[in-house]
Amino acid sequence: MVQLSREETFLLLTCRPYLSGADDQRLMRIVAEEPDWSFILWRAESYQTLPVCLHHLRRLDLGYAVPQWVIAYMTAWSQLSRARSEVQFKQLGELLAHFRGADIDHYLFKGPMMSALLYPDPALRPMQDIDLMVRAADVRRVQRELYALGYQHGVFNPADGVFTHMFRKITPKTMEHKYALHSVTKVEEIRPALDVSLIAPEWRMRQIKSFVKDDGTVRMPVFIDVHFSLGEGMDEADVWRGTGRRRVLGREVPSQSLTTALWFSAARVYYEAFQHGTLKLQMLGDIDALLRLHGSEIDWPQLLAIASKYRFSAAIFYVLEQVRRLFDAPIPMQVLVLLLPDPTRQPDPADFGDILPKLLSRTVVTDIELA
């Protein structure tokens, strides 16, 4: 048994857009006990859950119980994040319209789909970039179309606002060992509805890449990640299985299957945490919301088949089991039983164990007692 701190419990509760009555009561108790707000802010900023944290504090009218400097920090960060989301969604709308007009097969997934489909306000779920899936056969054409729209490969430096163009040629080797093109970028200039003097340099250098000019405008890069697979060696039929049109921000757009979104999100949060040290607690919120809002649409036999085919059953198990235990998410027990790693077989080399201590940066050594 691992006893979480008040701060860790707060972070787990507020990484999700929808809480139960019992969750609300627990959250109010934690706030009343005066947790370490510096730790919470540091972690929530790295997890990119500050906007949804602030949402729950306001929803429960808890602002009076939280130090005002905490509310001010969350508010300013969330305002800058919202400004970026508005720029991203504006560009996304234009990009989707262009792809549609050019007859390029595509679909929306990851951040843009999750934020628009699952959250009461899309700005509550910050996005690092915009993710689109295209056919592998179309990638060179897609690259040309993106350049025609003003996007380029390269690097944006938030220290001085300069974008350096670095063209990336698509080669057979690129296609063989990667499942996405190098990111492309377009830099927009906006005048956000907040005091730009409150924008900390650390925010601009880390999660919200941007540069504040002397005249108060902000240079905001929009990053587009164009994928042609969901993983190395994955069959294209599985990548595109179940895709269809969904209403996103008032428009019908091609979107990833919800079943695919579930297994992909679970596998991604698991492998990114263990293999890359990228801790995305935000994605547990995505998974919980997806199950609560659309659990009846999940094709569980298909999820089990895909997990078995590509050998990531263990990853899916550890993530879904913790979401069930922590948040009481609606997951059939028989599914978890079938995903459960079998201790009588050769160990799965990608079975790293429980996801939660890793996501919380917790060093946990299980107590062992010999027979």
Side-chain angles (χ1 to χ4, degrees), residues 28 48 92 98 111 137 154 158 203 217 289-290 318 360:
M28 288 188 284
Q48 296 198 74
L92 175 62
H98 185 83
W203 301 351
T217 59
L290 177 58
Y318 289 115
L360 294 176

Side-chain angles (χ1 to χ4, degrees), residues 35-101:
D36 182 346
W37 288 107
S38 295
F39 179 88
I40 287 174
L41 288 178
W42 170 55
R43 282 292 189 202
E45 183 174 338
S46 64
Y47 293 138
Q48 296 198 74
T49 58
L50 278 177
V52 74
C53 285
L54 181 61
H55 164 73
H56 288 304
L57 292 175
R58 286 174 170 169
R59 180 179 62 82
L60 295 173
D61 196 23
L62 291 173
Y64 72 92
V66 179
Q68 286 309 295
W69 65 269
V70 173
I71 297 296
Y73 190 95
M74 287 185 172
T75 299
W77 198 98
S78 299
Q79 287 176 332
L80 182 60
S81 177
R82 176 179 290 275
R84 178 178 63 173
S85 292
E86 290 172 353
V87 173
Q88 288 171 319
F89 277 114
K90 177 178 180 294
Q91 292 298 319
L92 175 62
E94 295 175 1
L95 193 55
L96 292 177
H98 185 83
F99 276 23
R100 186 170 59 251

